[in-house]
Amino acid sequence: MKKMILCILFVFLLSGAAEWAEAAADKRLESVMSRWTRKEFYAEKDTQGGLEIEITLYSAEYVEALIEAEAEKNLWTADEKEQYKYQLLKTLNLEEYVPFHFSFNNNGPSMHMAPFDKMVNLWLGKNKYAPADYDKRFNFKLQGRRDGMVWFPRYDEKTGKSLLDGVRTIKLDVSGAISPFLSNKLSVSFLWDIDKDNPGKLYAGRAASRLELDRLIKRIEKLTAEKKDLEDKLNEVNNELLTVNKRVEELQKQ
């Protein structure tokens, strides 16, 4: 009987410790998330309701906090944590894009955001970029709440170099045309300082190596396709040169 009571007490303490660890992990995650989330509320004097826009940048710090929180709550081994990290980074497409989570809560006249890739822009230094991909539900009329992911390019398509190199602050513009609550604005802007974000820790370890390998393989496939196109074009030019030279020789013999 005494052993059974001790066993029940041990299970109770273990359960309590797990709940405490989960609550602590969630609190740390919320603290980090708040540093990378921008939230604004817009309303008009003569119009009921309002529009709340909330945008979260998946910075290296935030993604690392997501991984740590899940690992703590689930008591993962190092291998399990690395596997989750790899899957999360793949889901976010971090090896190719800069991902954001958008949330609109519209309590007022309908919003019209189509085509959505023409309604938002990311500024990296002096250069402006449209989304490379986004949740297509943003193209439909909206009343109420809707959220989804938006991805902007991370690398230069021609050179393969990172577009974030040397960038200290990034700005995201949302067109004022999307909602009557923003009709008096050309656009609204959200800023993030990324100079203190350290992706070094996130891009270390086996998961990051696998992601880097995935990206480089895609890059090789793209360059190989471009090389074939150039070789085909060169062959066309060489064949035309042979034809022209042959005709010139024929004419010179006449």
Side-chain angles (χ1 to χ4, degrees):
M1 185 65 181
K2 185 177 180 181
K3 286 183 178 180
M4 182 178 294
I5 293 174
L6 288 173
C7 183
I8 293 173
L9 182 60
F10 176 75
V11 171
F12 177 77
L13 291 173
L14 192 62
S15 175
E19 289 180 2
W20 178 86
E22 185 172 340
D26 285 341
K27 190 174 182 180
R28 285 193 293 272
L29 178 59
E30 287 177 8
S31 176
V32 174
M33 183 179 176
S34 67
R35 289 200 287 273
W36 297 101
T37 297
R38 302 291 180 265
K39 182 190 296 185
E40 295 291 344
F41 181 78
Y42 305 94
E44 288 290 331
K45 185 177 181 181
D46 298 326
T47 307
Q48 288 187 334
L51 168 64
E52 183 181 82
I53 301 177
E54 182 176 327
I55 306 173
T56 300
L57 166 62
Y58 281 81
S59 66
E61 183 191 29
Y62 177 43
V63 174
E64 191 67 31
L66 279 171
I67 296 168
E68 290 296 332
E70 288 300 312
E72 289 179 30
K73 286 189 284 187
N74 294 289
L75 303 176
W76 283 337
T77 65
D79 285 343
E80 290 171 329
K81 182 178 171 183
E82 279 295 312
Q83 182 61 29
Y84 174 77
K85 179 179 179 180
Y86 175 72
Q87 292 298 335
L88 177 62
L89 297 185
K90 285 288 287 184
T91 301
L92 292 173
N93 287 319
L94 273 176
E95 77 278 18
E96 292 188 65
Y97 305 116
V98 181
F100 290 83
H101 180 267
F102 276 61
S103 178
F104 298 99
N105 189 10
N106 177 37
N107 295 304
S110 296
M111 296 174 64
H112 298 274
M113 300 186 285
F116 190 72
D117 56 347
K118 304 297 183 187
M119 298 296 179
V120 294
N121 289 296
L122 181 67
W123 289 87
L124 302 177
K126 296 180 180 179
N127 299 314
K128 183 173 70 172
Y129 299 91
D133 197 6
Y134 61 95
D135 190 326
K136 300 302 186 291
R137 293 176 304 151
F138 288 143
N139 286 328
F140 294 94
K141 184 172 70 174
L142 170 63
Q143 277 189 316
R145 180 181 292 276
R146 186 171 297 158
D147 62 276
M149 296 296 297
V150 181
W151 289 270
F152 289 89
R154 179 180 292 272
Y155 294 94
D156 185 280
E157 188 175 351
K158 294 182 178 178
T159 66
K161 294 182 178 178
S162 172
L163 299 173
L164 295 176
D165 286 348
V167 175
R168 299 173 64 87
T169 301
I170 63 177
K171 183 177 76 168
L172 204 154
D173 285 344
V174 179
S175 172
I178 66 170
S179 166
F181 292 117
L182 304 177
S183 59
N184 62 343
K185 305 175 189 294
L186 185 61
S187 65
V188 291
S189 299
F190 303 86
L191 296 172
W192 289 264
D193 291 328
I194 61 170
D195 59 325
K196 294 180 181 178
D197 190 35
N198 180 15
K201 185 178 179 182
L202 181 63
Y203 291 100
R206 295 195 306 277
S209 297
R210 290 174 65 187
L211 282 174
E212 177 70 4
L213 182 61
D214 292 344
R215 188 180 75 82
L216 291 177
I217 288 173
K218 287 183 182 177
R219 183 68 180 160
I220 289 172
E221 292 173 349
K222 180 179 174 58
L223 291 174
T224 300
E226 290 179 0
K227 179 185 174 185
K228 185 178 183 307
D229 289 342
L230 291 173
E231 288 175 343
D232 290 344
K233 183 66 176 178
L234 182 60
N235 287 334
E236 288 179 11
V237 172
N238 284 333
N239 289 334
E240 186 176 355
L241 275 173
L242 286 173
T243 302
V244 171
N245 284 329
K246 185 178 178 181
R247 180 59 181 160
V248 168
E249 290 175 1
E250 290 174 353
L251 292 172
Q252 287 175 338
K253 290 177 182 177
Q254 293 178 1

